[in-house]
Amino acid sequence: MTAADVRQHSSAIKESDFVIAQLETSIETVIEAFKIAHENGVKTILNPAPMPEVGGLPEELLQLTDIIAPNEHETYLLTNVEISDENSMRHNAVYYFKRGIDTVIITLGSKGSFYMRDNGEMSMVPAFKTKAIDTTAAGDTFIGAMSTRLNKDLTNIEEAMIYGSAASSVTVSRSGAQPSIPHENEVLAILAAHDK
């Protein structure tokens, strides 16, 4: 997919609440999509995976990102701050805030996920216990599922992240990437069982 492809289909972006991108698409293409999103009041979510081992990400891309959702390793490659505790997660978040990103979500595998917003709001969201068979697509599932529940003003971010966490717990319990991603009814069943 190229930047020209994005421009040709810009109406799809303009009519969206969120645009999600990751780095299997070229950075130039992601920047073009995020520019169109910003010009039209659409929130952008970046999953920086696969993260380049050296060189980081262009400042332009970070400045066009509203929500960034790296895992522990990806955020270390960007910030050079290793995740070890809540304080280190806050330091990671500040790195992104200084580049104009409003909301930081760091996924922590079996330890759950952490979020912080530039207004100081933050929380840990626990993972759902499951027997992990294959972690392929866990992060993509988390972000995709979370985004289906997220309000555009992000007022329900923790609730949306819990939904994403439940979805990714199903994904890691199965083999494969796309075949392991759950249907909504499976995620709702996990949440209902958890609430009992």
Side-chain angles (χ1 to χ4, degrees):
M1 183 180 285
T2 66
D5 294 323
V6 169
R7 286 190 293 273
Q8 188 177 348
H9 297 92
S10 62
S11 60
I13 294 173
K14 294 172 185 177
E15 294 165 9
S16 300
D17 292 329
F18 299 99
V19 170
I20 305 168
Q22 39 84 323
L23 303 180
E24 286 170 329
T25 304
S26 77
I27 287 175
E28 295 75 22
T29 303
V30 175
I31 287 172
E32 186 64 25
F34 280 16
K35 278 181 182 174
I36 294 167
H38 266 228
E39 289 164 4
N40 291 278
V42 176
K43 295 271 188 190
T44 57
I45 302 174
L46 179 65
N47 175 11
M51 180 65 202
E53 290 291 324
V54 291
L57 295 176
E59 288 293 318
E60 182 181 18
L61 175 58
L62 296 174
Q63 290 165 7
L64 290 166
T65 299
D66 295 308
I67 303 168
I68 194 164
N71 65 23
E72 294 168 271
H73 180 64
E74 292 154 0
T75 197
Y76 170 71
L77 290 174
L78 276 167
T79 68
N80 207 30
V81 177
E82 195 164 338
I83 297 292
S84 57
D85 56 16
E86 187 179 289
N87 195 42
S88 65
M89 288 186 277
R90 285 200 307 266
H91 282 328
N92 269 270
V94 168
Y95 171 92
Y96 298 112
F97 297 154
K98 287 179 178 176
R99 281 147 184 86
I101 296 173
D102 169 73
T103 303
V104 178
I105 298 169
I106 302 172
T107 58
L108 306 164
S110 62
K111 296 179 288 228
S113 55
F114 166 86
Y115 84 90
M116 186 170 181
R117 302 197 63 204
D118 68 355
N119 63 8
E121 176 189 342
M122 66 178 178
S123 185
M124 280 290 301
V125 174
F128 286 76
K129 298 253 184 265
T130 191
K131 182 179 178 184
I133 292 172
D134 182 356
T135 59
T136 306
D140 293 324
T141 299
F142 172 83
I143 293 167
M146 175 197 73
S147 301
T148 68
R149 292 300 192 265
L150 192 58
N151 294 338
K152 196 170 178 182
D153 62 6
L154 311 188
T155 51
N156 69 333
I157 187 167
E158 190 166 351
E159 177 187 322
M161 286 173 65
I162 290 168
Y163 184 88
S165 183
S168 63
S169 75
V170 176
T171 298
V172 301
S173 71
R174 302 176 183 171
S175 293
Q178 288 186 1
S180 69
I181 298 171
H183 291 277
E184 180 185 40
N185 62 319
E186 296 175 278
V187 181
L188 294 175
I190 288 172
L191 291 169
H194 186 263
D195 288 342
K196 287 181 180 177

